[in-house]
């Protein structure tokens, strides 16, 4: 059994810290215009809307901190028989995907992720419960991992 904390002898690799910046930019692109709109509406229409604007700014500040904590808690490891993906500080989650159950591996990257040189790998199996996603990998590492996982999945499936 793999531990949710500690290394357990596995070579745990963290995701790129640039993922935090990408997520902060995405969050700011949504919340700061809302805060600004509420502030303008408070000045022009109803002063109590300033409370909503202040609340959105407080939520934004809390999310800026939380995103950093979440990204630092993400890691992954290639084990002899499976891929392990770990995330979370308070609510820890460990997903292991046996190589023999891998059906296909997706590589995706949105506009902010591409600009930061990052990509996301999604390992798909027949059961959604045993599928897993690794966000925030450097694009070249993600492509190499996709090829390696697809090859391991094919090799292990052929042995069944």
């Amino acid at each position: 059994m793999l531990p949710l904390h500690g290394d357990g002898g596995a070579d745990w690799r963290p995701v790129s810290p640039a993922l935090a910046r990408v997520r902060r930019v995405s969050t700011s692109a949504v919340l700061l215009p809302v805060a600004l709109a509420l502030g303008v509406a408070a000045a022009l229409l109803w002063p109590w809307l300033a409370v909503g604007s202040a609340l959105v700014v407080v939520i934004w500040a809390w999310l800026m901190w939380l995103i950093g904590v979440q990204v630092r808690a993400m890691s992954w490891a290639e084990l002899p028989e499976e891929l392990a993906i770990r995330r979370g500080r308070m609510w820890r989650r460990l997903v292991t995907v046996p190589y023999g159950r891998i059906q296909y591996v997706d590589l995706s990257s949105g506009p902010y992720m591409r600009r930061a040189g990052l990509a996301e790998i999604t390992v798909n199996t027949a059961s959604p419960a045993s599928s897993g996603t690794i966000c925030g990998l450097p694009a070249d590492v993600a492509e190499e991992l996709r090829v390696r996982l697809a090859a391991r999945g094919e090799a292990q499936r052929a042995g069944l």
Side-chain angles (χ1 to χ4, degrees), residues 36-144:
L36 181 62
L38 284 171
V40 169
L44 298 176
L45 301 173
W46 191 43
W48 281 99
L49 287 175
V51 173
S53 179
L55 182 62
V56 170
V57 169
V58 168
I59 291 170
W60 172 82
W62 177 71
L63 286 172
M64 294 300 106
W65 168 80
L66 183 63
I67 287 169
V69 171
Q70 288 176 333
V71 168
R72 286 189 301 273
M74 295 177 183
S75 59
W76 59 280
E78 288 181 83
L79 303 172
E81 299 295 322
E82 60 199 359
L83 174 70
I85 305 167
R86 166 172 84 171
R87 64 183 62 194
R89 292 267 187 236
M90 286 185 67
W91 289 276
R92 294 185 176 156
R93 179 175 162 99
L94 176 67
V95 175
T96 57
V97 182
Y99 297 128
R101 294 192 179 236
I102 295 175
Q103 291 186 330
Y104 60 98
V105 182
D106 285 333
L107 178 74
S108 62
S109 183
Y112 290 149
M113 296 272 280
R114 274 194 312 274
R115 183 155 174 96
L118 300 177
E120 171 180 301
I121 289 278
T122 303
V123 181
N124 296 285
T125 65
S127 169
S130 64
S131 297
T133 301
I134 307 172
C135 301
L137 295 175
D140 55 337
V141 171
E143 179 58 32
E144 291 169 7

Side-chain angles (χ1 to χ4, degrees), residues 11-28:
D11 180 23
W12 289 100
R13 299 177 190 185
V15 298
S16 173
L19 178 62
R21 184 176 69 246
V22 168
R23 289 186 172 182
R24 285 178 176 131
V25 167
S26 298
T27 301
S28 297

